[in-house]
Amino acid sequence: MNRETTNRIRFVIEDILPPFLRDSRLFKGMASLAWGEHIAHLARFRERAPFLTALEYEQLYRQHPRVHEGTDNSEACVRKIAAEVRGKSVCDVGCGTGVLLKHIRSANPDLQRLTGVDFAIDDAAAIEGVEYVAAMIEELPFDDGEFDTVVCTHVIEHILDYRKAIAELRRITRQRLIIVVPREREYRYTFNPHFNFFPYTHSFLRAMHPVPARHACIDIGRDIFYCEDKA
């Protein structure tokens, strides 16, 4: 299933179904028909967010079923990201399968360094020309300003200490930082292990505070695309 299809489904269950139904046992029961007890597991995962061990966190992501084919980004987001790359080096933090890195390389053939970072999915390690690093976003093993462009898509919503994660992304960026998060509302029962929810662009800008003068924050479908330049 691609992102465009799930975005249509998300529109119905997030914006059309009323909150009292979305948080009800009826919705939980209907969702369980598709994902079984994993729906209840995800709800408990969010409830226990401040108390999760590193092992529990990693295990859930290794067991969580993939919803999208290859990447969580829509085609519109992929095109926008590839067009906004600057410089000769790119790091994709939370690279997953590495599909986005392939698109970036295809659109920017002059790139000299492509690096993918993830902690649970190591598919990118098998891609020729991609340097794969296993690491957590809160503690990235890179020097200050090591990459011209840093990309992080559909990751911040998963991170409990997202301000620390954003600080790390800014630290390793030399020219341009690109972040994409889903535009969604929080409900008790969902199909994803998200901790943070951004229903509007200004909701996400609060997470990015302080926001530099040279930035852009726009909606692309049901995703928020954020970009900032180093002065």
Side-chain angles (χ1 to χ4, degrees):
M1 188 181 299
N2 61 30
R3 183 72 180 183
E4 284 75 13
T5 299
T6 59
N7 279 347
R8 298 186 188 99
I9 296 172
R10 286 173 56 208
F11 173 73
V12 173
I13 66 175
E14 291 178 17
D15 290 351
I16 295 181
L17 293 182
F20 81 87
L21 180 56
R22 281 290 279 107
D23 284 341
S24 69
R25 290 185 177 275
L26 174 61
F27 183 86
K28 175 188 175 184
M30 295 173 62
S32 296
L33 294 177
W35 275 22
E37 282 301 308
H38 194 60
I39 292 296
H41 189 190
L42 287 172
R44 290 192 297 270
F45 178 77
R46 280 188 296 277
E47 290 170 359
R48 296 190 57 251
F51 314 105
L52 292 170
T53 67
L55 180 59
E56 287 178 303
Y57 189 85
E58 180 176 350
Q59 285 180 338
L60 181 125
Y61 279 93
R62 290 192 180 279
Q63 297 168 2
H64 185 67
R66 285 197 61 83
V67 177
H68 302 113
E69 299 167 355
T71 177
D72 288 342
N73 294 291
S74 66
E75 291 184 7
C77 268
V78 170
R79 290 194 299 269
K80 180 67 173 175
I81 292 166
E84 295 294 334
V85 166
R86 296 293 181 270
K88 297 295 185 180
S89 58
V90 174
C91 181
D92 182 4
V93 181
C95 64
T97 62
V99 168
L100 179 58
L101 283 169
K102 290 181 178 179
H103 283 286
I104 290 174
R105 179 170 58 187
S106 178
N108 300 272
D110 293 334
L111 287 172
Q112 297 174 358
R113 183 184 181 188
L114 282 169
T115 301
V117 177
D118 211 299
F119 81 100
I121 304 174
D122 59 5
D123 295 17
I127 302 175
E128 185 177 355
V130 171
E131 168 195 1
Y132 174 76
V133 178
M136 300 290 286
I137 188 174
E138 298 93 337
E139 296 182 5
L140 296 171
F142 304 116
D143 293 334
D144 295 357
E146 185 162 338
F147 299 94
D148 292 319
T149 297
V150 174
V151 178
C152 183
T153 68
H154 296 277
V155 175
I156 298 301
E157 63 272 19
H158 297 272
I159 307 301
L160 188 59
D161 191 355
Y162 64 86
R163 293 192 185 278
K164 183 176 181 180
I166 291 169
E168 275 291 270
L169 295 174
R170 283 173 161 160
R171 181 185 66 80
I172 68 171
T173 301
R174 183 181 302 122
Q175 294 187 40
R176 173 159 288 181
L177 171 61
I178 298 171
I179 298 176
V180 176
V181 296
R183 182 168 56 83
E184 63 180 340
R185 304 177 189 280
E186 181 174 7
Y187 294 103
R188 184 176 183 82
Y189 301 109
T190 71
F191 293 93
N192 53 60
H194 296 173
F195 293 144
N196 308 304
F197 298 84
F198 309 103
Y200 309 105
T201 54
H202 61 263
S203 305
F204 182 68
L205 286 177
R206 287 196 293 268
M208 295 303 300
H209 180 79
V211 181
R214 299 178 61 182
H215 79 280
C217 190
I218 60 174
D219 286 348
I220 298 182
R222 294 193 64 81
D223 293 322
I224 296 172
F225 175 91
Y226 174 87
C227 174
E228 69 177 48
D229 289 337
K230 289 294 186 76

